[in-house]
Amino acid sequence: MSEPRTPVSEEDLHAAADGNLQPDRRATIDAHLARDPEAAAEVDAWRRQNEALHALFDRVAAEPVPTQLRPANLRAPRLRPATIALRAAAAVALLLAGGLAGWLGHERYGDGTAPQLAILAREAVMAHRVYSVEVRHPVEVRAEEAHLVNWLSRRLEHRVNAPDLGAAGWKLVGGRLLPAQTGPAAQFMYESPDGERLTLYIRTNRTSDTTQFRVVEDNGFTAFYWLDGPLGYALIGKASREKMIGVANAVYERLTP
Amino acid sequence: MRTVLSFDARLEEHIPGLRRYAYALVRDRERADDLVQDCLARALSRRHLWRPGNLRAWLFRILHNVYVNDVARAAIRPDATALDAVTEPSIEASQDDVVYLRRVATRLAELPADQREVLLLVGLEGFAYEEAARVLGVPVGTVMSRLSRGRRRLRELLADTSTTTLRRVK
């Protein structure tokens, strides 16, 4: 294979510049470069490009890793309490200034994402307000009925789940199908031993975008909401923000495979 | 007894390289670290999807996807505008070298993003061509053609400033 007439490919020239030539190719390529000054100059220029990239950027890799990028600090990636508190404060301030949609307009997501988020949050909060006060018919299908999750998954055309929040003291009551702007939406309702309720609202996400957690407080309700690929989620309750952060964390962990 | 590193510990080994790549790609410190943070958060939440093998390539693949989404999301924002921090190269460099390196940095930012990514994965991060193809989710032939176009274009661009005057005379 290494006789001089073996054609020299473009890949060989790159491999020469990158220092990845197979040992049995090296003699052939060296001989080729010795005969072809233009190719040799090209390979040399490419090698110098690589050196320049290292000279420019290696210092970034040599720096200590910033603490916020340490895996231990990323365990609950979308929910760092400091950020949440700040966001919540900002949300409240902006809500006073211009309402939910106005606040969402400040988000940096372009195109359809910001409106999707705004509508998601609005629908979810409204559904919560309507059904969480319902005494006799809070849900359409009780949690005990095995088909609850399958039925809602089929209607949303996506696998949805009612995460088990028992450890956090919330028991699944059941769920219902709701009309959303994007089509069918699912609402799961949970209840605490003292009768507090929270709902998880799930609908399809047209933008297929994935966003960070958002939080908004509205009339005493705290809503966490986010987009995760094909689905958008919102978790709404009246519990304190701290308590809600804990639940939102648990929901997120169980929903994100 | 062989020490088995935890997933976190193995992840941590790759963070410096991810930061270097992200910074070289977007040339904006904050945005680069945001991309790395998103990448790591996804890696942690999807760790069960990782099959023992090339963790580094897997992480770079996630970072690539995060970058692509970020570019799409912020299409208005120019891809590489911050030409600031290129003032202190990593190595002891003479004045000529500094000028040359700044030009490389500027010209690199002018390359199409897909070519720049391949140049950086191969030339800076040392990925084999097949690995770079896996990172980018394209056939290896695509990597080779982007590499060829990117390297040739960068060479032309670098040669260009010195010949601009001559061309103008014509």
Side-chain angles (χ1 to χ4, degrees), chain A residues 122-133:
Chain A
R122 209 180 302 136
E123 287 173 351
V125 169
M126 185 52 76
H128 181 89
R129 292 175 67 169
V130 170
Y131 293 109
S132 65
V133 295

Side-chain angles (χ1 to χ4, degrees), chain A residues 138-152 162-163 170-176 187-191:
Chain A
V139 296
E140 198 171 357
V141 176
R142 310 282 313 178
E144 296 74 36
E145 295 183 51
H147 66 278
L148 169 66
V149 164
N150 285 336
W151 164 58
L152 292 172
W170 296 95
K171 187 172 169 294
L172 182 66
V173 182
R176 66 170 66 239
Q187 185 194 52
F188 292 113
M189 189 177 294
Y190 294 83
E191 208 169 52

